[in-house]
Amino acid sequence: MASIAIRNKLQETEKRYLAGDIARASALGQEVIDADPGNAEAWHLSGLIHFTAGQPQESESRIRRAIRLDSSAVHFKANLAVVLLNRQQPAEAENLCREMLRVDSKHTKTLAS
């Protein structure tokens, strides 16, 4: 379980990301990952940050790591599907979406939403 300090830093990372402060969000996110390398949400958020920064390959790698750490997180798979579509990999993106919808048929939120 993540410490309070880690959770607070992860919340600040998300806040900076949503505010468009990608450089600060990236630095904070990496601090969380360095302190807690098993934190799936930190890897996922880092993947979103890299996607926004125009680094889809690194984004894909980080979101895949998040999924390996927590395969039940449907939103990780939804966001990976968006990244894969961006990287011209529609077949794998479709498979992820089908898998995701089998688990949560009402899930529609992604980083692009």
Side-chain angles (χ1 to χ4, degrees):
M1 176 149 231
S3 74
I4 292 171
I6 296 282
R7 282 195 304 262
N8 289 342
K9 191 169 278 194
L10 190 57
Q11 288 174 342
E12 182 63 21
T13 302
E14 183 174 19
K15 181 180 171 185
R16 295 288 92 225
Y17 167 69
L18 293 173
D21 186 356
I22 300 305
R24 184 70 182 131
S26 182
L28 286 167
Q30 191 58 52
E31 288 176 22
V32 174
I33 289 169
D34 291 344
D36 184 7
N39 188 312
E41 191 57 53
W43 283 101
H44 173 252
L45 185 53
S46 180
L48 299 182
I49 292 165
H50 279 81
F51 185 80
T52 301
Q55 302 168 331
Q57 184 173 1
E58 186 63 22
S59 173
E60 178 183 342
S61 173
R62 288 172 180 262
I63 296 173
R64 285 187 187 280
R65 175 88 178 256
I67 292 169
R68 283 193 303 275
L69 291 167
D70 182 1
S71 62
S72 68
V74 176
H75 63 292
F76 294 178
K77 293 175 183 176
N79 287 326
L80 179 58
V82 171
V83 172
L84 291 170
L85 285 172
N86 179 269
R87 299 199 65 218
Q88 306 300 311
Q89 298 176 42
E92 187 177 359
E94 179 183 357
N95 288 338
L96 274 171
C97 288
R98 289 181 186 282
E99 177 184 334
M100 176 191 67
L101 290 171
R102 277 192 296 276
V103 173
D104 181 358
S105 64
K106 298 190 188 304
H107 190 90
T108 59
K109 192 165 188 163
T110 66
L111 61 88
S113 297

